[in-house]
Amino acid sequence: MRGVTGAVPALFEFVHLGVRGVGDRWRLRDVNGSIAPSGVTALVGLSGSGKSTLLRCCNRLEVPAEGAVHYRGVDIATLDVLQLRRRVAMVFQRPTPFPGTGRENLQTADPELEDEWARELLARVSLGPDFLDREATELSGGEAQRLCLARSLAVDPEVVLMDEVTSSVDPAARRSLERLARSLADGGTTIVWVTHDLAQARRLADEVLLVADGRIAGVDETNAFIEEDANGE
Amino acid sequence: MANDIGWLGLAASLVLVAVAVALSFWQRLSLERSIVWATARALVQLLLVGVALEFVLDEPLAWSWAWVLAMVLFAADTVRRRAPEVPGVFQLSLMAFAAAGVTTLLVLFGLQIFPLEPKTLIPLAGMTVGNSMTATVVVARRVLDELRDKRDEVEARLALGIAAPVAAKPYVRAALRTALVPQIETTKAVGLVFLPGAITGLILAGTPPLAAVKVQAAVMYLVLGAAATTTAVIALGVQRRLFSADHRLTVPPRVSA
């Protein structure tokens, strides 16, 4: 695991990206950097550093006031946003099961989803077929988060953006989600993983981007940050 | 006939206001001033309206249409004052009341249920607009609150590549149900629990009860149809204003105290 060197062709590229906050504040300012097209890339940083905002720029839940995000070399502002979001899926910090059964949740993503494929999706996230008929809003945090991941996978995305997905689940569920992310990446789905937990990033990620004070830190600063944290343990 | 109580009769009914004032004084509610002020204001407003109506009802229909327009503007402003956080609510309310007005008045006058004249147009338009105001305010606030409070869920739908109007549907539906159920309940209870203003006024004026109840029933259906129309226009309009053209939720999060 290392800081980004920019030697691999980018999946996402941020070019002088700026996102406004409230009043005169900027949540991100002059962000430049790129995310590799395979494996797990972690965006780490303290709360309020702008890492979630950066992630949300990748599927146009946020739009920049300045600069651009490129996806596979194309400015995402020129892409059809609904199609972009089916290629670049997202799982959120708080589990968001929709009212209804597991099956109904999966069918929100794909209304033509047949039970056979639905069971496979559940199996990929280590949920049994009985979750098809269970009420989604009654699941535990970890189960709900896995269902949300299965729902995102139902659109067959190339990338899954995961925004602090383990911060509101118990440690067992956290490890399970980390293993899932790793296995998805190993199976060819690129993962962009936002976390404030550097130890988690070190466990999980192939590459780390440090987001600090509304920008992506350079390689040296990132490596120093990683080393400092490692020495502190 | 009980349709003119005279000024003495009006003065005598102030005894009931004195009862309210006395009760407030006895229970130390400190509401005496509010009660007197409200009574005086109501009297002045009603007298002004009465004088204006005496004029308008004798004039050509154009004056009545002007009255209806003024009512619609005032109602839209009232909705704006009661739901100030909802973007564009004044314009949307205007559209909603106009849509409801056109629909209901087309039915009432187009199907010749009532003859089109000042003394039918003004009261019926007034009841259309006045009785749908509450439902309009409720649905405007509920759509905003639903989309704001369930922001995570809404964005999870958007993130699946679902278009904004489809993503918003469950929440808009919930808001519409919240706004319309009370009106439906009121329609169900009419006659059992209370005699509404129309029937009361007609009976006091000497109309035979069976004739009066037919008018009242038509009015209840008018109000139900108007409430459904205004809430639908408002709900869809507000929902559109809370999303950007590129399917992002733009309602700001609730400011915590």
Side-chain angles (χ1 to χ4, degrees):
Chain A
M1 191 213 60
R2 61 199 183 281
V4 174
T5 60
V8 291
L11 178 72
F12 286 106
E13 197 171 349
F14 309 111
V15 183
H16 300 298
L17 191 69
V19 177
R20 284 193 171 278
V22 175
D24 289 331
R25 273 191 60 236
W26 288 79
R27 282 183 279 155
L28 295 171
R29 195 80 202 262
D30 197 27
V31 172
N32 297 282
S34 57
I35 290 176
S38 63
V40 179
T41 301
L43 298 178
V44 300
L46 302 173
S47 294
S49 56
K51 53 192 189 300
S52 288
T53 304
L54 190 59
L55 199 73
R56 287 161 61 90
C57 286
C58 294
N59 70 347
R60 289 208 28 208
L61 281 181
E62 300 272 0
V63 293
E66 283 177 354
V69 180
H70 294 182
Y71 178 64
R72 299 191 189 281
V74 181
D75 186 344
I76 65 170
T78 64
L79 296 173
D80 177 86
V81 64
L82 299 182
Q83 285 197 22
L84 171 71
R85 288 176 185 160
R86 293 181 90 77
R87 295 167 72 186
V88 180
M90 188 172 221
V91 183
F92 294 79
Q93 180 173 353
R94 279 187 345 142
T96 54
F98 304 145
T101 61
R103 181 188 287 103
E104 284 162 351
N105 269 256
L106 296 176
Q107 284 174 339
T108 310
D110 180 0
E112 323 230 313
L113 191 71
E114 310 248 339
D115 268 16
E116 195 187 318
W117 180 223
R119 279 192 284 268
E120 267 193 55
L121 281 171
L122 290 177
R124 280 177 84 185
V125 300
S126 309
L127 289 176
D130 55 302
F131 280 83
L132 280 183
D133 296 304
R134 285 179 60 179
E135 170 57 44
T137 53
E138 288 169 10
L139 301 180
S140 72
E143 290 167 342
Q145 200 64 304
R146 278 184 278 160
L147 179 64
C148 292
L149 180 55
R151 192 174 64 197
S152 298
L153 295 174
V155 302
D156 200 19
E158 298 164 10
V159 185
V160 182
L161 310 173
M162 302 182 82
D163 188 0
E164 306 243 34
V165 299
T166 58
S167 61
S168 46
V169 303
D170 60 69
R174 186 174 64 224
R175 285 190 289 279
S176 159
L177 285 163
E178 288 174 14
R179 278 195 300 271
L180 274 171
R182 189 67 255 171
S183 82
L184 282 171
D186 293 341
T189 306
T190 309
I191 303 292
V192 184
W193 180 281
V194 163
T195 182
H196 60 273
D197 181 350
L198 193 52
Q200 182 182 63
R202 280 162 47 208
R203 271 198 303 278
L204 183 57
D206 302 304
E207 304 211 18
V208 173
L209 292 176
L210 172 64
V211 182
D213 302 321
R215 52 175 188 85
I216 293 180
V219 172
D220 294 332
E221 190 181 337
T222 306
N223 286 333
F225 186 84
I226 294 166
E227 237 185 78
E228 202 182 295
D229 186 84
N231 291 338
E233 285 187 354
Chain B
M1 291 229 292
N3 63 349
D4 189 353
I5 60 174
W7 296 105
L8 276 178
L10 177 62
S13 67
L14 286 171
V15 168
L16 297 161
V17 173
V19 167
V21 169
L23 272 167
S24 166
F25 185 71
W26 171 47
Q27 289 292 313
R28 297 186 208 281
L29 301 177
S30 304
L31 289 175
E32 303 84 70
R33 202 177 271 210
S34 299
I35 294 170
V36 169
W37 172 241
T39 307
R41 227 185 101 155
L43 184 61
V44 168
Q45 282 167 191
L46 285 168
L47 284 173
L48 285 172
V49 167
V51 166
L53 275 174
E54 286 235 14
F55 169 74
V56 170
L57 290 180
D58 276 335
E59 290 296 314
L61 203 57
W63 284 93
S64 300
W65 284 112
W67 184 285
V68 169
L69 180 62
M71 267 196 298
V72 166
L73 285 167
F74 182 72
D77 188 60
T78 305
V79 173
R80 183 194 57 76
R81 277 184 282 114
R82 291 199 203 154
E85 286 186 295
V86 179
V89 73
F90 180 76
Q91 298 94 306
L92 287 171
S93 302
L94 273 183
M95 271 170 40
F97 290 128
V102 164
T103 316
T104 54
L105 297 179
L106 259 180
V107 169
L108 291 175
F109 299 122
L111 296 181
Q112 317 232 309
I113 299 171
F114 291 94
L116 177 58
E117 50 191 12
K119 71 171 192 242
T120 52
L121 174 60
I122 288 177
L124 290 171
M127 279 188 278
T128 303
V129 170
N131 283 288
S132 16
M133 253 169 44
T134 304
T136 306
V137 171
V138 168
V139 83
R141 280 155 127 181
R142 286 302 311 154
V143 169
L144 177 65
D145 286 348
E146 280 280 309
L147 292 176
R148 190 153 57 184
D149 295 344
K150 307 256 173 76
R151 176 183 206 97
D152 286 357
E153 261 188 55
V154 179
E155 288 199 324
R157 291 177 195 268
L158 295 173
L160 291 170
I162 294 172
V166 179
K169 222 180 259 199
Y171 313 98
V172 170
R173 273 198 198 130
L176 280 169
R177 290 180 68 86
T178 305
L180 282 176
V181 163
Q183 192 59 54
I184 296 169
E185 292 301 311
T186 303
T187 309
K188 273 175 18 185
V190 74
L192 300 174
V193 177
F194 67 102
L195 286 181
I199 198 175
T200 309
L202 286 166
I203 290 176
L204 280 172
T207 306
L210 270 182
V213 301
K214 279 187 272 186
V215 171
Q216 182 63 66
V219 165
M220 295 303 290
Y221 304 151
L222 173 169
V223 167
L224 196 56
T229 309
T230 54
T231 52
V233 171
I234 290 274
L236 292 173
V238 171
Q239 172 249 294
R240 285 184 67 180
R241 283 173 198 244
L242 294 177
F243 289 89
S244 66
D246 58 348
H247 308 280
R248 283 176 298 114
L249 183 60
T250 54
V251 57
R254 197 182 287 278
V255 177
S256 40

